[in-house]
Amino acid sequence: MLKLENISFTADDKEILKNISLTVDDRFVAITGPNGSGKSTLLKIIMGILTPTTGRIWLDGEDITDLSISERANRGISFAFQQPVRFKGLRVRDLLELAGGQGKDGGERFAHACEVLSEVGLCAKDYINRELDDTLSGGEMKRIEIAMAAARGTKMTLFDEPEAGIDLWSFQSLIHVFEKLYQETSGTIMIISHQERILNIADKIIYLKDGVVLEYDERERVMEHLELDIRPGTCAALQKYQENCTWGNGVN
Amino acid sequence: MDAIQKKLLKEVAELDALPVGAYNIRSNGQSAARNTTASIDIVTKEDKPGIDIIIKPGTKNQSVHIPVIISQSGLKEMVYNDFFIGEDCDVTIVAGCGISNCGGEDSRHDGIHSFYVGRGSRVRYIEKHYGEGTGRGKRLMNPTTVIELSEGAVMELETSQIGGIDDTLRVTKAKLGDNTSLIIHDKILTEGDQKAKAEIAVELDGNASSCDLISRGVAKEESLQEVVIRIDGNAACHGHAECDSIIMDKGVILATPQLRATNVDAELIHEAAIGKIAGEQLMKLMTMGLSEKEAEEMIIRGFLQ
């Protein structure tokens, strides 16, 4: 169970997260909301990549606020970055074996690495020894990033917009990865997503806007409100945009 | 051979026992063991220290190991090894030098390896330099590699020096004929107050000759690295050089790629980059459970892999 207590985050005098308190005890939670609402910041604070300005974070009763990224990773949190990092020289297998290698011998580590690679729709034979450098496309990197997080099989896995840069065909295998992770670990999956197909399989949805959790409820209820909110003309963001869009007026 | 010598042999040539095929093991300035085969002969030079390695035409899938190990503090040597590789061969040559210096005097190995590669032959050359020891005496190495590729020959070099050598000047010079290809992967890691300079110069003299020179360096602590890569394009050729370095602590790196073309059909490219380990790389590995130090080590290991 993850508990966030009065989490705020300010950067460059801008309040990005405003006093967020949440208890996440569901298995599959999607986080959605407009761009700039603080979704990625929230996930990075859970992983320890960013330090909250105020507030505490608890994982299964342990206060992890002051733990480093590595310590949190070893407590069972995994993270799939929105923009995967490239490494000159390190191969796909090096990182996949690191991700899923605990308690396995060399052969088992390799077999597991191949298996997770196949699950994200990449032929293990073609990719396992590839370098994680710029010879891989953005889409390939993204799938490998997802495979790495899934390979760890930890009790909490955080995905920052996993669907970004993934084509339609891969999208189905992406859903399958989440389902498998859901079945195989008894843990929690938290996903930042704008995709209805991902929101549709979530147990609960967090709707974040301007650094505030507007909704955290069963999928059906949040979706109802979301639909209202995104109806043309009523979208707050759109209204705001229109209000600010005065440059066209008064120009002769 | 004592335990130190055996360890050095393992480090530079990955040998636990005597290798299969032809070999010459030089230990503390003497030939410690030698084996020749029907197609590979090794002959001691009469006019100067060193050996001639003569590989008969048509020799395929064979290897030659010629490691040098020095465990005697204060030993200094200059060795000339010449490789005569006949036509239509396919061979692997494993060289390398390991110095263990626990004494107060400098130990030094200078070697000139010359390769004359016959028409249509393929050669893979692996050279590893390694140093260890707690003595005040320095461990010094100055290897020179001279390469001449005849028509259609292909040579691939993997050279590495991963710590332990205090001062080194590594010189590689190559001349390429028609339809030849040279690939060099050079890896170097320096730490402490070590200094390393690598000079690689390739002359693409033949039509359809090509080279791909990749140098990767990591300079830690207060060490100094200098890399000069030069390609001369004198024909319709293709040359590519890449110097890529990671700088850490108070290390200093000077990378100088040089291209010189004397033919309008020469296509030459160089790339050079120096930078520290990216923060997001460390972060990614830390989200997988590694400490910052472990992440740093893994990134360097991969970079020099």
Side-chain angles (χ1 to χ4, degrees):
Chain A
M1 188 175 71
L2 179 80
K3 201 171 137 194
L4 305 178
E5 224 175 56
N6 308 114
I7 294 288
S8 296
F9 183 78
T10 304
D12 299 329
D13 294 330
K14 197 178 168 233
E15 212 177 357
I16 296 168
L17 294 179
K18 299 169 188 165
N19 200 35
I20 289 180
S21 292
L22 269 183
T23 300
V24 177
D25 54 2
D26 294 276
R27 298 280 321 280
F28 197 114
V29 177
I31 306 172
T32 195
N35 292 337
S37 57
K39 303 182 297 295
S40 291
T41 304
L42 183 65
L43 276 205
K44 285 178 180 166
I45 282 176
I46 297 170
M47 187 71 240
I49 295 168
L50 295 174
T51 309
T53 316
T54 60
R56 314 296 301 173
I57 307 158
W58 304 76
L59 181 68
D60 291 339
E62 185 190 7
D63 184 347
I64 60 165
T65 320
D66 300 322
L67 296 187
S68 67
I69 302 172
S70 321
E71 286 167 322
R72 293 185 205 202
N74 290 321
R75 295 285 198 288
I77 307 183
S78 299
F79 194 100
F81 286 81
Q82 188 181 354
Q83 281 169 333
V85 186
R86 296 172 190 271
F87 294 87
K88 272 188 184 168
L90 286 177
R91 297 164 303 171
V92 172
R93 66 179 290 181
D94 295 325
L95 290 209
L96 282 178
E97 288 183 9
L98 171 68
Q102 278 189 336
K104 297 186 179 72
D105 66 29
E108 288 169 345
R109 272 203 302 274
F110 183 69
H112 182 251
C114 290
E115 194 187 317
V116 288
L117 209 48
S118 306
E119 279 163 15
V120 292
L122 296 176
C123 173
K125 188 164 67 69
D126 295 338
Y127 285 90
I128 197 81
N129 286 318
R130 291 276 299 273
E131 270 188 44
L132 285 156
D133 58 11
D134 50 18
T135 59
L136 288 168
S137 73
E140 289 166 332
M141 284 298 299
K142 191 79 185 187
R143 291 199 238 175
I144 293 162
E145 178 74 11
I146 291 159
M148 281 192 272
R152 294 193 76 221
T154 47
K155 63 182 173 192
M156 171 151 280
T157 313
L158 313 173
F159 294 92
D160 191 350
E161 289 202 40
E163 78 266 14
I166 297 261
D167 55 59
L168 201 63
W169 179 80
S170 314
F171 196 80
Q172 200 48 46
S173 59
L174 184 65
I175 299 278
H176 178 69
V177 170
F178 299 141
E179 285 170 346
K180 191 158 180 280
L181 193 62
Y182 189 91
Q183 285 159 11
E184 288 181 356
T185 67
S186 52
T188 298
I189 301 167
M190 289 181 81
I191 299 185
I192 295 178
S193 181
H194 299 285
Q195 269 286 338
E196 207 175 336
R197 284 162 73 189
I198 288 182
L199 302 184
N200 275 339
I201 56 167
D203 297 326
K204 278 194 177 172
I205 296 174
I206 295 172
Y207 180 47
L208 201 64
K209 196 170 165 186
D210 298 329
V212 176
V213 175
L214 289 188
E215 303 263 1
Y216 174 40
D217 210 334
E218 308 285 331
R219 174 188 15 130
E220 292 78 5
R221 283 188 216 154
V222 178
M223 289 297 271
E224 243 171 61
H225 295 149
L226 274 180
E227 276 167 33
L228 282 176
D229 207 27
I230 59 172
R231 218 168 52 201
T234 60
C235 173
L238 187 61
Q239 277 178 359
K240 199 173 172 191
Y241 172 70
Q242 285 165 341
E243 282 159 17
N244 292 336
C245 225
T246 52
W247 51 269
N249 303 329
V251 176
N252 297 316
Chain B
M1 206 174 272
D2 63 24
I4 293 176
Q5 290 170 310
K6 281 182 182 164
K7 181 167 182 258
L8 289 174
L9 200 55
K10 170 87 179 157
E11 289 291 343
V12 299
E14 289 174 11
L15 291 174
D16 288 312
L18 290 174
V20 176
Y23 58 83
N24 185 79
I25 299 172
R26 184 179 175 91
S27 176
N28 289 329
Q30 309 282 326
S31 176
R34 179 178 296 177
N35 187 48
T36 58
T37 66
S39 43
I40 302 177
D41 200 10
I42 300 176
V43 184
T44 304
K45 280 190 187 293
E46 288 178 2
D47 54 340
K48 52 191 172 186
I51 48 178
D52 287 337
I53 296 100
I54 302 140
I55 301 176
K56 281 189 182 166
T59 303
K60 302 246 176 176
N61 302 319
Q62 291 204 32
S63 63
V64 190
H65 285 75
I66 52 153
V68 172
I69 50 180
I70 297 173
S71 58
Q72 183 188 323
S73 181
L75 190 117
K76 293 181 180 65
E77 62 178 2
M78 174 79 197
V79 178
Y80 300 84
N81 294 335
D82 293 338
F83 298 78
F84 301 95
I85 298 143
E87 294 182 4
D88 198 28
C89 292
D90 189 344
V91 291
T92 299
I93 298 164
V94 181
C97 179
I99 298 179
S100 176
N101 190 355
C102 292
E105 289 181 69
D106 294 352
S107 297
R108 173 174 170 160
H109 173 81
D110 293 350
I112 298 182
H113 285 183
S114 301
F115 294 86
Y116 305 96
V117 185
R119 288 159 69 103
S121 282
R122 296 184 74 90
V123 178
R124 183 166 173 238
Y125 177 65
I126 302 160
E127 183 188 85
K128 208 167 160 185
H129 287 159
Y130 170 78
E132 61 167 35
T134 49
R136 278 182 298 107
K138 289 192 168 177
R139 301 173 293 266
L140 312 168
M141 276 183 207
N142 296 303
T144 297
T145 307
V146 180
I147 298 164
E148 282 184 26
L149 299 185
S150 303
E151 190 182 347
V154 175
M155 186 160 178
E156 191 173 339
L157 281 84
E158 292 168 33
T159 53
S160 63
Q161 181 180 308
I162 310 298
I165 303 299
D166 294 299
D167 205 321
T168 190
L169 170 63
R170 297 140 63 81
V171 177
T172 306
K173 293 177 194 166
K175 281 176 87 67
L176 275 67
D178 289 346
N179 285 309
T180 54
S181 176
L182 175 71
I183 301 159
I184 299 181
H185 286 265
D186 185 50
K187 296 176 288 189
I188 188 155
L189 182 144
T190 50
E191 53 201 350
D193 61 353
Q194 295 169 358
K195 290 185 182 66
K197 183 173 181 184
E199 292 177 355
I200 301 172
V202 176
E203 291 176 49
L204 298 172
D205 295 338
N207 283 320
S209 60
S210 70
C211 69
D212 193 9
L213 316 175
I214 297 163
S215 152
R216 284 195 176 171
V218 176
K220 283 184 175 180
E221 295 160 4
E222 294 177 354
S223 62
L224 169 70
Q225 277 184 30
E226 201 179 334
V227 188
V228 183
I229 292 189
R230 175 172 172 144
I231 303 175
D232 281 45
N234 302 325
C237 58
H238 183 82
H240 172 247
E242 184 185 319
C243 311
D244 210 345
S245 307
I246 292 179
I247 181 167
M248 299 171 73
D249 314 310
K250 293 182 176 171
V252 176
I253 298 170
L254 174 63
T256 317
Q258 297 177 350
L259 303 178
R260 179 174 181 266
T262 61
N263 185 303
V264 289
D265 291 318
E267 289 178 11
L268 308 178
I269 300 168
H270 76 67
E271 300 167 72
I274 301 172
K276 64 177 179 184
I277 294 176
E280 61 260 35
Q281 291 182 328
L282 291 172
M283 210 174 280
K284 174 65 204 166
L285 296 183
M286 285 160 72
T287 65
M288 296 168 84
L290 298 187
S291 68
E292 191 173 343
K293 191 167 183 347
E294 288 167 339
E296 196 177 279
E297 284 165 2
M298 184 169 182
I299 292 164
I300 291 173
R301 206 166 52 241
F303 185 71
L304 297 174
Q305 194 156 268

